[in-house]
Amino acid sequence: MSHYLITGAQGGSTAGANAPNRIEINAFVKIKDQFSLYIQALTEMFNESQTTSTSHFGIGGIHGLPFVQWEGAGGTHPIQGSGWGGYCTHGSVLFPTWHRPYVALYEQVMQSHALKIAEKYQVNKDSWRTAAQNLRAPYWDWAANTVPPPEVISLQTVSIITFDGTARTVPNPLYQYTFHPIDKSFPSPYSSWKTTIRHPDDPNSPNATTDVQALIVDLKSIQGDITSSTYNLLTRVHTWPAFSNHTPGDGGSSSNSLEAVHDEIHSYVGGQMGDPAVAGLDPIFFLHHANVDRMLSLWAAVNPGVWITRGPAEGGTWTISGNAAVDGNTSLTPFWNTQAGFWVSSGTTTTAGLHYTYPEFNGLNMNDTAAVQRAIANYINQQYGGSGSASFGSTGPALSFLAQQPAAGGAPAPAAQGATPVAAAVSAIKSAAEEIRHPFASRGGHPHTAESGEHGRGGPNVVHDWTARIHFKKFELGQSFTVLVFLGEVPDDPSRWRTCPSFVGAHVAFVNSAADQCGNCREQADVVSEGFVHLNSAIADRSGLSSYEPNVVIPYLRSGLHWRIQATDRTAIAVERLPSLEVTISQITLTQEPGSVFPTNGEPQYHHHITYGRPGGYVFESAAAILPYLEHPQTGVTSQFCASLARRLRCYVAAGYPERLEPHEMEKRTMDDGSVVDVVGANSAVIYAPDGTCAAHYRKFHLYPTDKPWAKPGPGFASFNLPPPLNTVTLGICMDLNPQSPWTIDGGPYELADHCQKTGSNMLILLNAWLDSEEQQDCEVDISTLNYWATLLRPLWYRKGDDGSNGKDSEPRGISEDTETVVVVCNRSGVENGATFAGSSALFRLWPSVGKPLLQENMGRRQEGVCVWTT
């Protein structure tokens, strides 16, 4: 059979461009000749039989339902292992490039009708021919204006110029599409809706209609979020996995992907647009996706040379298996570019091959990559980088708010000349500690200091950027839904959530409602979606704060940050129904050097304590929650830091970290409630030697309840033989100190202490996150916790016979009564979501011959810092 080839629209020209412009819809509706041709061409496509492949229904159905073969691409049924019955590639690296020939197909068919219509004009025929040749699909720039013009969103009829040159009012095809007939594949409620509907007044009613005013109000409410997300997408995301799709990829961003921004528009328009199975049938779909394609062009211009990378298919399509890998040479089915083959992503790097371009590129020499990059970067700053987005293109008061002064104290002072070796060591360790940039560093660490260049001296402009990162399992609820973020009081009525003053932004799950027709969707149940809501603008507008410094912002977010889940019908969904939800606050330092157009990103610091313990907060309740933070032994960021610090200071360095298991070690675990979880990591610790090599590695043996949903226990306690003066060293992590069976002070068991005794350990290092006892709050040290630790170490200091016993031990001993065991306890301090940690890090010296524990050194329960203790 002969296939319909996607060549793009033909002919026409725009001054200063290598192909005719697509035009923004607000400007397009004012160009009477092109708008008149466009309306008539769409009407022709709407009126064609729905079985015709190039009708509006035939092209719109490529995206999802009715899940049929298009133009002979693929088989007559979805490929084996596909989790999606349509051709569209959501959640994968193909998302931007697949939609490029898709919109070009719609544009090509629309223009072909317009060319024929132009021939029917009885006056100024040549000008109408020219208008038809120049006609391209308009785009809706939602980043600049989330509310389309009335010709798209509210007018059921429009005025056009007819063949005799007079004006006439005709039905408006942009307002809705009328099914003829309603396709039998449609699930409820679409099976009862005679037309496409946006923001339905009664989403579950067969008689639902578009609530235009509510739609306008909703779209206005997200302008700040959409503009901010778009600006940050275009200026801060520089890798293809992070740019292209909403599946967590390479960790290269703290900003939304193109697909995540796209999802939010779909959700807010609502109706069929809120469901990927039927979204392509709403006429606004192609206005929306023309702008998605424009964003691809803008981003590619400021990131020259960056294009599609290899990645997972994430569920697959009609022709791509769900477990396949895709890349720049994967066929973008069903878009034929020859009778024997399809478009591929590597062939879509420019729009010229499909015969269109965008106004931002007019007058630019497309062969001068650097000039194009500068011009488009300046355009992005001017168009989307206003003060509301907290960009560095801002001027006036907004910039003075962003340009922060150094925090009190600043950087640590250098050691004074003639300082003692101990003082010099302390200074060196403190300096090294300030250089830690680790996802967990913010948990109890000092806030990073942001500072601006001195006025008039051309120094860098620096700002802390605060973002709510949202993760959830995309298919967990079996429907589309939205996670909304607020700063301030949240109304009880969910219909007011999106328009209330405290609403900041949202992340959307754009989910197929026809999952029963592609049963493999259930096999994709663990696919995670990632999105971000930028908070700086809302903090500036609503908080009354004068700085983005962590010590100012964190208390505000702890009390004011909230989130809710909402279905597409605007009803509330209990947060507990989405157990995979994780809302985490990240802070990134953005720096703009003099003369640069965009800021550069620092490493993200995750302030998990802001949301810890709340439903949807940071608690690592599952493998999916912990997975982004797991590290490989020796090559992970913690190991690399320890190795570097050990070499630098010529000392041994111990630290805990979340270890990523090798695939063969991963397993299933049945929890007490009968649920089955994936064990993907271990709660681990390392010691690095002065030469930077790994001297010890240990996995926590006694798991705490919060470890069990994801962590594998070690095989047992472990001791390591290190060079003198350390000798035999045992590592332990928090819960390892607690007994795992019924315990008495006389009978124990004292598992960890007994292990140290039997192995003759000279040192025990405990890496703890012990909670405060809440006793003797007026005391600077948590005495109760110190006593508890000492009690659990009893075999290392208790001498038999002091209580009248015969002084004989029933167990063999590896340590003599004259052997000292040094116990170093490093314990967290501070408060995390109402949970207060004991601090009180300590150094114990223990001898059985002494008969009591000796507490040589300790820190305060609220003290953070670096100490040097000599034994």
Side-chain angles (χ1 to χ4, degrees), residues 745-746 750 757 790-791 793-805 809 813 817 846-853:
I745 192 168
D746 291 325
Y750 298 94
Q757 191 179 66
T791 299
L793 297 168
R794 191 170 186 252
L796 301 179
W797 57 262
Y798 176 66
R799 182 174 61 189
K800 296 269 186 150
D802 284 352
D803 57 357
S805 65
D809 295 322
R813 298 170 60 92
E817 292 198 351
L846 308 178
W847 294 268
S849 61
V850 173
K852 59 182 180 181

Side-chain angles (χ1 to χ4, degrees), residues 317-337:
T317 70
W318 183 274
T319 58
I320 301 173
S321 176
N323 59 5
V326 294
D327 58 23
N329 294 316
T330 300
S331 294
L332 301 177
T333 53
F335 309 122
W336 300 91
N337 69 345

Side-chain angles (χ1 to χ4, degrees), residues 749-777:
Y750 298 94
E751 292 104 328
L752 182 58
D754 286 342
H755 170 83
C756 291
Q757 191 179 66
K758 292 175 184 177
T759 57
S761 295
N762 303 99
M763 177 175 286
L764 168 62
I765 300 173
L766 288 168
L767 305 171
N768 287 3
W770 215 278
L771 293 175
D772 195 281
S773 68
E774 299 186 356
E775 298 178 10
Q776 299 173 291
Q777 289 293 313

Side-chain angles (χ1 to χ4, degrees), residues 672-741:
D672 292 340
D673 62 1
S675 62
V676 178
V677 299
D678 293 311
V679 176
V680 295
N683 196 338
S684 300
V686 290
I687 299 177
Y688 273 78
D691 62 358
T693 60
C694 183
H697 186 275
Y698 169 72
R699 289 177 178 173
K700 186 177 181 181
F701 181 38
H702 289 172
L703 297 186
Y704 194 62
T706 55
D707 295 321
K708 292 180 180 179
W710 63 272
K712 182 176 185 175
F717 300 122
S719 299
F720 306 91
N721 294 319
L722 302 181
L726 298 181
N727 300 314
T728 304
V729 176
T730 296
L731 273 174
I733 301 174
C734 205
M735 193 67 179
D736 284 330
L737 192 56
N738 262 342
Q740 297 297 289
S741 55

Side-chain angles (χ1 to χ4, degrees), residues 318-568:
W318 183 274
T319 58
I320 301 173
S321 176
N323 59 5
V326 294
D327 58 23
N329 294 316
T330 300
S331 294
L332 301 177
T333 53
F335 309 122
W336 300 91
N337 69 345
T338 69
Q339 291 297 329
F342 302 94
W343 283 91
V344 294
S345 299
S346 60
T348 63
T349 54
T350 69
T351 61
L354 287 165
H355 310 293
Y356 69 91
T357 187
Y358 294 103
E360 296 80 12
F361 296 89
N362 292 350
L364 300 181
N365 178 1
M366 299 306 292
N367 294 320
D368 188 341
T369 302
V372 171
Q373 184 180 27
R374 287 193 300 272
I376 297 303
N378 286 326
Y379 170 82
I380 290 168
N381 275 333
Q382 294 164 7
Q383 181 76 349
Y384 307 123
S387 60
S389 64
S391 77
F392 290 91
S394 309
T395 58
L399 185 58
S400 66
F401 177 68
L402 298 177
Q404 303 158 74
Q405 297 302 311
Q417 287 189 346
T420 66
V422 170
V426 171
S427 178
I429 293 171
K430 285 182 176 180
S431 296
E434 289 296 322
E435 297 172 7
I436 298 176
R437 292 293 179 265
H438 183 271
F440 297 95
S442 64
R443 303 183 72 172
H446 294 292
H448 178 61
T449 299
E451 51 188 73
S452 62
E454 296 182 38
H455 181 68
R457 295 194 181 181
N461 190 15
V462 183
V463 60
H464 292 298
D465 181 78
W466 295 90
T467 304
R469 189 197 65 186
I470 301 168
H471 278 187
F472 50 66
K473 292 182 179 179
K474 180 177 176 180
F475 299 107
E476 193 160 36
L477 297 180
Q479 65 183 76
S480 293
F481 61 90
T482 302
V483 176
L484 299 95
V485 174
F486 305 84
L487 285 177
E489 185 176 350
V490 183
D492 292 333
D493 181 0
S495 68
R496 296 175 52 207
W497 286 352
R498 301 187 188 216
T499 56
C500 70
S502 61
F503 174 64
V504 180
H507 178 49
V508 171
F510 187 40
V511 176
N512 170 30
S513 66
D516 59 326
Q517 299 189 37
C518 56
N520 286 326
C521 290
R522 290 184 289 273
E523 297 178 9
Q524 308 300 318
D526 290 330
V527 171
V528 174
S529 178
E530 177 181 67
F532 301 86
V533 175
H534 297 278
L535 304 177
N536 278 33
S537 180
I539 292 171
D541 291 342
R542 305 169 195 180
S543 68
L545 303 178
S546 60
S547 171
Y548 289 141
E549 285 293 327
N551 62 331
V552 176
V553 172
I554 288 173
Y556 171 70
L557 294 180
R558 279 177 176 162
S559 61
L561 179 72
H562 304 283
W563 53 89
R564 299 289 188 270
I565 306 175
Q566 193 173 51
T568 54

Side-chain angles (χ1 to χ4, degrees), residues 6-280:
I6 289 75
T7 60
Q10 299 297 309
S13 63
T14 295
N18 57 14
N21 280 173
R22 287 179 178 172
I23 301 171
E24 207 281 324
I25 187 62
N26 284 279
F28 181 80
V29 298
K30 299 174 183 176
I31 304 174
K32 281 300 182 180
D33 53 1
Q34 291 198 24
F35 181 68
S36 297
L37 291 169
Y38 179 63
I39 291 297
Q40 293 175 89
L42 292 185
T43 301
E44 292 284 339
M45 294 175 68
F46 282 26
N47 289 339
E48 284 192 313
S49 169
Q50 291 184 171
T51 60
T52 303
S53 65
T54 54
S55 67
H56 171 82
F57 185 89
I59 297 175
I62 290 172
H63 194 267
L65 288 171
F67 296 158
V68 295
Q69 184 188 54
W70 192 84
E71 284 289 313
T76 57
H77 294 87
I79 192 171
Q80 184 74 25
S82 171
W84 168 240
Y87 285 98
C88 71
T89 56
H90 286 281
S92 90
V93 294
L94 297 179
F95 168 77
T97 51
W98 183 89
H99 286 84
R100 174 158 281 182
Y102 188 29
V103 177
L105 164 62
Y106 197 85
E107 179 175 65
Q108 175 181 333
V109 174
M110 179 273 295
Q111 193 220 22
S112 69
H113 283 285
L115 289 169
K116 295 175 184 177
I117 292 167
E119 295 298 323
K120 298 179 181 180
Y121 275 80
Q122 300 159 9
V123 293
N124 300 320
K125 187 183 293 282
D126 286 344
S127 68
W128 286 99
R129 286 171 174 162
T130 300
Q133 290 170 353
N134 290 335
L135 180 60
R136 296 297 185 267
Y139 63 89
W140 164 29
D141 184 6
W142 25 253
N145 190 347
T146 51
V147 182
E151 290 84 353
V152 173
I153 203 170
S154 59
L155 297 180
Q156 297 192 41
T157 61
V158 291
S159 176
I160 64 169
I161 302 172
T162 56
F163 301 148
D164 62 1
T166 61
R168 182 162 61 93
T169 298
V170 298
N172 181 12
L174 287 172
Y175 181 75
Q176 63 187 20
Y177 173 76
T178 300
F179 298 101
H180 53 97
I182 298 173
D183 198 88
K184 294 180 180 179
S185 67
F186 290 176
S188 179
Y190 317 120
S191 56
S192 301
W193 293 356
K194 297 178 182 179
T195 69
T196 55
I197 296 173
R198 300 164 190 160
H199 205 303
D201 53 1
D202 186 352
N204 298 311
S205 169
N207 300 313
T209 60
T210 295
D211 188 337
V212 174
Q213 291 308 309
L215 173 58
I216 292 173
V217 169
D218 261 15
L219 288 173
K220 284 182 177 178
S221 74
I222 59 166
Q223 184 67 73
D225 185 33
I226 293 296
T227 303
S228 174
S229 292
T230 302
Y231 181 76
N232 283 287
L233 166 71
L234 295 174
T235 61
R236 291 171 51 189
V237 180
H238 304 294
T239 65
W240 185 267
F243 164 76
S244 62
N245 70 95
H246 57 219
T247 303
D250 61 359
S253 173
S254 66
S255 300
N256 272 321
S257 65
L258 177 61
E259 186 178 18
V261 180
H262 145 279
D263 290 350
E264 193 168 354
I265 296 297
H266 272 280
S267 172
Y268 274 80
V269 173
Q272 281 93 344
M273 272 286 283
D275 187 331
V278 289

